[in-house]
Amino acid sequence: MPPRPIYSALLSIIITPLLSAEQAERPNILLIVAEDASPDFGCYGNTSVTSPHIDKLAAEGIQFNNAYSSYSVSSPARGSLLTGLYPHQNGQMGLATHNYQMFPGIKTLPKYLKELGYITGNIGKIHVNNEADIPFDYWQIRSSNFGKKNLFDYAKKATEFINTADGEPFYLQVNFPDSHFPVQRQVQGRPHNIVEPSSIKESLPYVGILSPRIKENIANYYNCINRLDESVGMLIQALKESGQYHNTFIFFISDHGAQFSRAKVTNYEGGLKIPLLIKYPDKQMAGKQNDKLVSIIDLLPSFIDIAGGQASKELAGRSLISQLEGSTPWRRELYAGGLGSYPSNTYPKRSVRDERFKLIINEYAPQANPAYQCYSNAKGHYSAGCIPQEIQSAPKHIRDAYALWSAPPNTSSTTSSTTPTSGSISPAPPNTAPHSNDSKPASGNGA
């Protein structure tokens, strides 16, 4: 029997008429969503990228250093964003393009915010079914735009929407296509700052391999990050020119991590860990860093909080605003799911983590993991995957990490099922087991 749909998660809210002057003072909400982007920005310590606009959001707001998606695939993650629920609760367990969809009657973000008097808009893809259950007042640029063309149009449409709101409080979600594969070096002159493969001196920490082919893919992934930052800059400029910048909460997030081996489509850190920034209208929290465990499911309750409502306790997420204010406790553990995104890639997995360890249950283990095979074939959207020759020529601790991902052990037959939460693959210290429960997390097969 499927989970009970949440038909009336906010029935307790009484919406009273507001005077127009009061309504004009209510803060707007801008959510900027990157695609397939890990926390690879200057504010998160990446020195290979050029991200001044996103870095400025971090400097003028609060940066979350342990933010996670609920599922490392687009549609389920975005379904969580729109419902405040885990994918198994709302039904969006795989890609919308493969006809996965939410349970009938699930209440979504625009419905909540409309009840609270907000005009709602979306620019860019939603990628969640059924779209009729996600009734934004305004929706433009509906395509995925994986070609990354005409990115200035996103800012132009944002201006159009804000003008349409005509002074009413608004929620606007802008979904940029970077850095989804294919990762292009440059499109229509963007980005202006090009990252060359020759400048890449180290691999992504969860990949651990740096062949010439991987170097080129990493460089172009960073070019996507640079282009994304330019898109964000154009959007912020449009918001400033509208006169609404100083009355708008700005959230920046990615749906999940980058599409490299041991990242997207996995429950490792590379797949689930995401950037999350919040800029308050009055620069409250400016320059703050937060290391608590937070999730993409926390966005909807946060928006309801900002809009003056109270989220139902039936939602899995918690308001980040109330947690920052101390009225809601921070969570001690965080969950994520995974089914495989489409039928031929089915490989159910679940994970739970605290500040130090993560437990991953692979329900089909020890069967071979089809996601590993997709990446090792290195074709299409998986073209940045590490191929067998690259893995075989890597040091033993890296080969072991890929072997573990390829065919995970049956956890019922292992003596330890916790792994350190570091996503990097680094040489294990002498006499240190890969799954050590010692006082210091062991390097090696990190999750």
Side-chain angles (χ1 to χ4, degrees), residues 22 40 46 67 85 96 109 117 124 126 155 173 177 202 209 273 333 352 388 394-395 415 418 439:
E22 292 175 328
D40 287 309
N46 190 310
L85 300 169
L109 185 153
I126 291 178
Q173 180 172 324
E202 59 183 12
I209 290 171
K273 195 162 192 176
E333 61 279 318
V352 58
T415 57
T418 55
S439 59

Side-chain angles (χ1 to χ4, degrees), residues 188-207:
Q188 297 176 330
R190 301 187 188 279
H192 294 102
N193 294 302
I194 300 292
V195 179
E196 299 291 352
S198 59
S199 70
I200 303 300
K201 304 303 181 185
E202 59 183 12
S203 184
L204 297 168
Y206 42 84
V207 174

Side-chain angles (χ1 to χ4, degrees), residues 28-30 32 57 155 158-159 162 170 172 232-250 279:
N28 308 306
I29 304 168
L30 170 63
I32 306 170
L57 288 179
T159 298
I162 294 170
F170 64 78
L172 175 60
V232 170
M234 290 186 285
L235 177 63
I236 297 299
Q237 183 60 33
L239 180 64
K240 289 179 176 179
E241 291 175 358
S242 76
Q244 294 296 323
Y245 178 77
H246 295 293
N247 190 38
T248 301
F249 276 87
I250 302 175
K279 181 194 170 296

Side-chain angles (χ1 to χ4, degrees), residues 31-230:
L31 172 64
I32 306 170
V33 184
E35 186 155 10
D36 295 16
S38 294
D40 287 309
F41 304 91
C43 56
Y44 281 96
N46 190 310
T47 58
S48 296
V49 302
T50 304
S51 54
H53 302 103
I54 293 168
D55 296 346
K56 187 175 181 181
L57 288 179
E60 295 183 350
I62 181 166
Q63 174 177 315
F64 291 86
N65 296 321
N66 285 302
Y68 290 87
S69 187
S70 60
Y71 192 130
S72 63
V73 173
S74 176
S75 296
R78 291 167 186 264
S80 287
L81 186 161
L82 291 167
T83 64
L85 300 169
Y86 286 105
H88 69 274
Q89 294 176 304
N90 64 38
Q92 189 69 55
M93 288 292 291
L95 290 170
T97 44
H98 287 264
N99 298 319
Y100 291 85
Q101 63 184 36
M102 293 189 296
F103 298 125
I106 291 290
K107 193 171 182 179
T108 59
L109 185 153
K111 293 183 179 180
Y112 284 111
L113 294 186
K114 285 182 185 183
E115 289 179 356
L116 293 166
Y118 275 64
I119 307 297
T120 62
N122 183 80
I123 299 170
K125 80 174 193 180
I126 291 178
H127 209 208
V128 175
N129 290 332
N130 284 319
E131 291 176 358
D133 292 327
I134 313 168
F136 283 103
D137 298 308
Y138 176 100
W139 182 12
Q140 293 292 320
I141 311 180
R142 294 183 173 227
S143 71
S144 297
N145 192 17
F146 292 154
K148 324 292 170 39
K149 295 181 178 179
N150 304 319
L151 294 176
F152 182 67
D153 287 351
Y154 290 74
K156 287 168 56 179
K157 293 299 182 182
T159 298
E160 181 178 279
F161 167 74
I162 294 170
N163 291 338
T164 301
D166 194 26
E168 297 293 311
F170 64 78
Y171 169 88
L172 175 60
Q173 180 172 324
V174 181
N175 309 275
F176 288 115
D178 279 306
S179 53
H180 195 286
F181 266 71
V183 286
Q184 299 93 337
R185 181 177 185 272
Q186 192 175 50
V187 179
Q188 297 176 330
R190 301 187 188 279
H192 294 102
N193 294 302
I194 300 292
V195 179
E196 299 291 352
S198 59
S199 70
I200 303 300
K201 304 303 181 185
E202 59 183 12
S203 184
L204 297 168
Y206 42 84
V207 174
I209 290 171
L210 195 61
S211 66
R213 191 180 63 84
I214 298 297
K215 275 189 178 184
E216 183 176 5
N217 277 292
I218 292 175
N220 285 333
Y221 165 59
Y222 288 163
N223 286 323
C224 287
I225 295 294
N226 291 358
R227 185 168 47 243
L228 168 65
D229 185 80
E230 292 179 13

